Amino acid sequence: MRTQEESICLFAQTTPDKIAAVCGNDSVTYKELWEGILERAQRLKEAGLKAHRPYVFRATQDIDFIKTYCAVHYLKAVAVPLEKGALEVNFQAVKDEVESCEFAPDIVDALYTTGTTGKSKGVMLSETALVSCADNFIADFGYTPELLFIISGPLNHIASLFKMHPVFTIGGTVCILDGLKDMEAFFDVFNLPFKKFATFLVPASIRLIMQFSYDRLCALKDKIDFLETGAAPITQTDMRLLSEALPHSRLFNTLGGTEIGAVCTYNFNDGKYMEGCIGRPMKNSSVEVTPDGNIIVSGLTIMSGYVGDPELSAQVMKGGKIYGADLGYMDEDGMIHLTGRSGDVINVGGFKINPVEVENAAASYPGLKESICVAAQHPVIGTVLKLLVVLEDGYQLDKHALARHIKSKLESHKVPTYYETVNSLQRTYNGKLDRKYYRK
């Protein structure tokens, strides 16, 4: 496997006029992209950037970002992309932190997590991790040179950033969007003259598209080669609806993360729609499930540690393995299933309840757009479950009916005590439910 920059250089010579990237009305060929990377690298070098030193910059959703990101790698420096809207005080704090650190020669990226489960942490990734992650995608998803891959998520996040590498490795094309606020821009991409299309969408974005543009999505059934989701659980109901809309497409639910890379995947367009299933490990990854349900990841895609925090690194990494917060089990066919995250579990009367299970049970209730299950306090019995719900226009909350609906699917101790209608749910920039916000 080649590095991302080696691949762009190769195709700049072998297929120089092929479009490498599209963003709105702008596009660049492989030749133009490589020339832009070299020019940007020269400017960064003249500005004092040296090998193994960090370069902090904002993840603008455009072709210019690709040039900067790859130019940093070309100089053997460390790319530190931050959210494009990051406050200046946060930008400077990260800059101060990384510039005070010494990076090992093999580190090429330091990606800062969103901090939904605590303080934002800088995750150090090696060239081996990047290449191995791209290799996993190519092997399991079947990227081809005819593919146009649509990136709509933030390019400082691994779920979007690491989609460029496999596309450039096989000589395909990436299309960058600035989120999905402009739904017309998303659907306009499918009018471009390409044979195959693919994308990554978090479950919240999938539900948004199916809610407001289901017919338009169905019309793409012969164009979308594959669609990948991850970063948050997707309900069985949404799996089924998406499969009905795209019967010929491969639809992947993937386990991945900044610390572990892309690890497992499951094509849920199989008629089973196994909720929580993430399939089997990819070629460069290994997964173990302990007797108490903790998921342990090892392999070539995992991080090298946290920036400036060897103590935390040692807590998470032991013997070349990542001990994260994901919980799950392996079935008799070797398929791995997620059941939640250890930090999200709510203890109610001695019962440990995964809030995602409650949310999934509620998802098929008529008129319910989305929900989040949180802990609340009862004046007599202590901690109980509370369900915050967002309803479709024209619907009103019938608390008793919703409780009966959930009780028909789950044990009694998993049925929330309180229910409340809200206008929207708090989410991170990456589309995940911000559970930390509701634990305040």
Side-chain angles (χ1 to χ4, degrees), residues 120-185:
S120 184
K121 305 176 290 290
V123 178
M124 296 185 292
L125 298 170
S126 67
E127 187 73 77
T128 296
L130 270 63
V131 170
S132 300
C133 212
D135 194 27
N136 275 357
F137 283 129
I138 292 170
D140 278 72
F141 296 170
Y143 284 67
T144 62
E146 298 82 17
L147 185 72
L148 175 72
F149 195 99
I150 305 167
I151 297 175
S152 59
L155 284 169
N156 61 301
H157 190 273
I158 189 173
S160 298
L161 178 63
F162 278 25
K163 296 303 186 296
M164 295 193 302
H165 196 150
V167 175
F168 290 143
T169 296
I170 51 84
T173 305
V174 297
C175 175
I176 300 174
L177 299 177
D178 191 5
L180 286 179
K181 293 180 180 179
D182 185 354
M183 199 69 72
E184 287 299 322

Side-chain angles (χ1 to χ4, degrees), residues 281-324:
M282 296 174 165
K283 63 180 291 189
N284 296 310
S285 304
S286 298
V287 177
E288 305 168 44
V289 183
T290 66
D292 55 356
N294 290 109
I295 291 179
I296 303 171
V297 177
S298 57
L300 299 176
T301 65
I302 68 172
M303 71 171 182
S304 299
Y306 293 113
V307 174
D309 201 335
E311 184 175 324
L312 181 60
S313 300
Q315 292 175 12
V316 175
M317 299 183 69
K318 302 173 185 177
K321 300 178 180 180
I322 299 287
Y323 289 72

Side-chain angles (χ1 to χ4, degrees), residues 134-308:
D135 194 27
N136 275 357
F137 283 129
I138 292 170
D140 278 72
F141 296 170
Y143 284 67
T144 62
E146 298 82 17
L147 185 72
L148 175 72
F149 195 99
I150 305 167
I151 297 175
S152 59
L155 284 169
N156 61 301
H157 190 273
I158 189 173
S160 298
L161 178 63
F162 278 25
K163 296 303 186 296
M164 295 193 302
H165 196 150
V167 175
F168 290 143
T169 296
I170 51 84
T173 305
V174 297
C175 175
I176 300 174
L177 299 177
D178 191 5
L180 286 179
K181 293 180 180 179
D182 185 354
M183 199 69 72
E184 287 299 322
F186 174 77
F187 284 104
D188 283 347
V189 174
F190 295 93
N191 294 321
L192 295 175
F194 288 84
K195 295 181 179 179
K196 294 181 179 180
F197 296 82
T199 191
F200 172 92
L201 295 171
V202 296
S205 295
I206 291 174
R207 173 164 282 199
L208 184 69
I209 291 173
M210 291 196 299
Q211 179 184 356
F212 294 106
S213 304
Y214 191 72
D215 290 343
R216 298 178 73 179
L217 183 66
C218 292
L220 300 175
K221 63 181 181 179
D222 295 321
K223 287 192 172 186
I224 296 180
D225 182 28
F226 67 87
L227 184 153
E228 182 197 0
T229 190
I234 181 171
T235 67
Q236 188 178 64
T237 299
D238 286 348
M239 285 182 177
R240 179 179 55 79
L241 287 172
L242 189 59
S243 297
E244 290 173 356
L246 303 173
H248 312 308
S249 304
R250 294 169 296 138
L251 306 174
F252 296 103
N253 188 30
T254 301
L255 172 64
T258 315
E259 287 91 344
I260 60 177
V263 176
C264 297
T265 196
Y266 158 59
N267 180 4
F268 59 82
N269 200 353
D270 60 355
K272 299 178 182 179
Y273 319 127
M274 292 188 288
E275 196 169 73
C277 183
I278 50 168
R280 298 182 178 87
M282 296 174 165
K283 63 180 291 189
N284 296 310
S285 304
S286 298
V287 177
E288 305 168 44
V289 183
T290 66
D292 55 356
N294 290 109
I295 291 179
I296 303 171
V297 177
S298 57
L300 299 176
T301 65
I302 68 172
M303 71 171 182
S304 299
Y306 293 113
V307 174

Side-chain angles (χ1 to χ4, degrees), residues 31-95:
K31 182 174 183 294
E32 291 168 339
L33 180 57
W34 182 241
E35 290 174 346
I37 292 169
L38 294 180
E39 180 183 349
R40 184 64 47 82
Q42 182 60 34
R43 284 164 50 188
L44 291 174
K45 184 177 181 180
E46 291 173 353
L49 183 59
K50 298 180 180 178
H52 317 313
R53 297 306 300 151
Y55 182 72
V56 185
F57 59 110
R58 297 180 187 275
T60 52
Q61 299 289 122
D62 53 26
I63 294 171
D64 193 65
F65 170 84
I66 303 176
K67 295 176 182 178
T68 300
Y69 180 67
C70 292
V72 174
H73 288 172
Y74 179 79
L75 294 174
K76 306 298 182 184
V78 180
V80 190
L82 300 183
E83 180 184 335
K84 69 172 183 176
L87 297 175
E88 188 59 34
V89 63
N90 296 335
F91 185 94
Q92 191 59 47
V94 169
K95 194 170 185 291

